Amino acid sequence: MDYVAFGTAISTDPRFRQAGYTLCTMMLDCHAADPGFAQLMSDRTQAHIVGVCYHLHPQANAAAVLRLLPPDTGSRNRVTAHIHALERRGALMAAPRGRDGRTRNLMLTPVFQSWVDRWVDAVVLPALPFVGTPPENLGDPALRQTWFSRWVAAQTMGVRLTSRLPKVRRFMELRGGYVVMNELLRREYAEPGAITTRFSRRELAARYGLTRTHVIDLIAALEAEGWLSDGPLGPVPTETMLAETRVWHGLHLGAAALVLSGMLMPTIEDALAARAAASA
């Protein structure tokens, strides 16, 4: 299925606003629950590395992760450095030794696995309204590992949520840009009258582990782009911003719906094999 056409259609669907609100709320709550863990997945490469580690769990190691990452994901040095950072910051731990004692495998720590499962839920579950037949046993923890693997596999095959949206991508790549944009959009998607508090740069900074000055700078950058205007409760997205972010969230929800339905590439190994065959 053409995920671009599907996602674009979702962005104009009457159910989009509620799904967008759910997406923003779940993802922001996940980031606020542990800003340190969120920083370990702050860009596509980092999330891809964690996804492959989860796919291999509990037998991840640098060599195995590198084999399952497409060449354009990141350099060997960056991948290795991020795996070390994950272990140093309590996200990965040494796995029990197998028969081959020469290989030191790693596994997600229980606390990080719990957080990653919550992140996966935030990524895919808001798309349930757009899935014809929802998966059974949504509470099964093993499904999170499967969904994350499919999400990584889809990106391996070329699914890109911001490739056609360079301004969205630029703000997403700024530290804190993702949460600031989604906080503004969460307020925009909320039912009329549901938001009664002013937008607070100080509270946003405290919630997501940022400095107030950094949040002020991000808001100023969005204003300079013409993406924000003054509202009764603080800055609000302009139609210029919404024209792009609706497409971004529509593509996200479309890809997530295909992940939930199993219509996207089922495994990372299959995606790599298909990519290699296509380029042969």
Side-chain angles (χ1 to χ4, degrees), residues 27-211:
M27 189 58 76
L28 289 168
D29 287 348
C30 181
H31 277 247
D34 198 314
F37 281 162
Q39 289 173 13
L40 293 172
M41 294 176 61
S42 61
D43 62 33
R44 185 176 71 89
T45 294
Q46 290 181 346
H48 218 128
I49 292 168
V50 172
V52 173
C53 286
Y54 201 4
H55 177 71
L56 294 168
H57 176 84
Q59 294 180 315
N61 57 70
V65 171
L66 284 163
R67 281 196 299 271
L68 293 183
L69 287 174
D72 59 353
T73 301
S75 68
R76 175 181 294 271
N77 287 342
R78 185 180 182 194
V79 173
T80 303
H82 194 57
I83 290 174
H84 288 325
L86 289 165
E87 188 174 9
R88 186 173 63 251
R89 294 173 66 175
L92 295 178
M93 60 186 289
R97 294 275 184 178
R99 292 182 179 178
D100 185 357
R102 296 170 297 177
T103 302
R104 181 176 182 270
N105 288 325
L106 298 168
M107 58 189 289
L108 275 65
T109 61
V111 65
F112 186 56
Q113 183 176 355
S114 177
W115 185 88
V116 169
D117 284 347
R118 183 174 181 175
W119 182 89
V120 174
D121 280 351
V123 167
V124 301
L125 292 184
L128 278 172
F130 308 105
V131 178
T133 304
E136 297 180 359
N137 304 319
L138 282 175
D140 182 357
L143 280 177
R144 276 71 194 163
Q145 189 175 17
T146 298
W147 292 337
F148 201 169
S149 294
R150 288 177 182 171
W151 187 259
V152 171
Q155 295 193 40
T156 299
M157 286 300 295
V159 171
R160 296 287 185 271
L161 305 182
T162 60
S163 61
R164 296 167 178 81
L165 303 164
K167 292 181 181 179
V168 173
R169 183 172 67 249
R170 179 163 60 86
F171 282 113
M172 280 184 63
E173 289 173 350
L174 297 174
R175 182 170 182 267
Y178 180 82
V179 294
V180 169
M181 281 202 301
N182 275 314
E183 189 64 64
L184 290 161
L185 292 170
R186 179 188 68 83
R187 296 168 69 90
E188 177 68 23
Y189 293 148
E191 292 294 326
I195 302 296
T196 59
T197 57
R198 287 193 61 80
F199 181 89
S200 170
R201 293 158 176 78
R202 187 182 304 278
E203 290 178 8
L204 190 150
R207 188 169 196 244
Y208 301 114
L210 304 169
T211 66

Side-chain angles (χ1 to χ4, degrees), residues 17-33:
R17 182 173 184 143
Q18 180 58 51
Y21 177 79
T22 302
L23 170 62
C24 290
T25 300
M26 291 182 68
M27 189 58 76
L28 289 168
D29 287 348
C30 181
H31 277 247

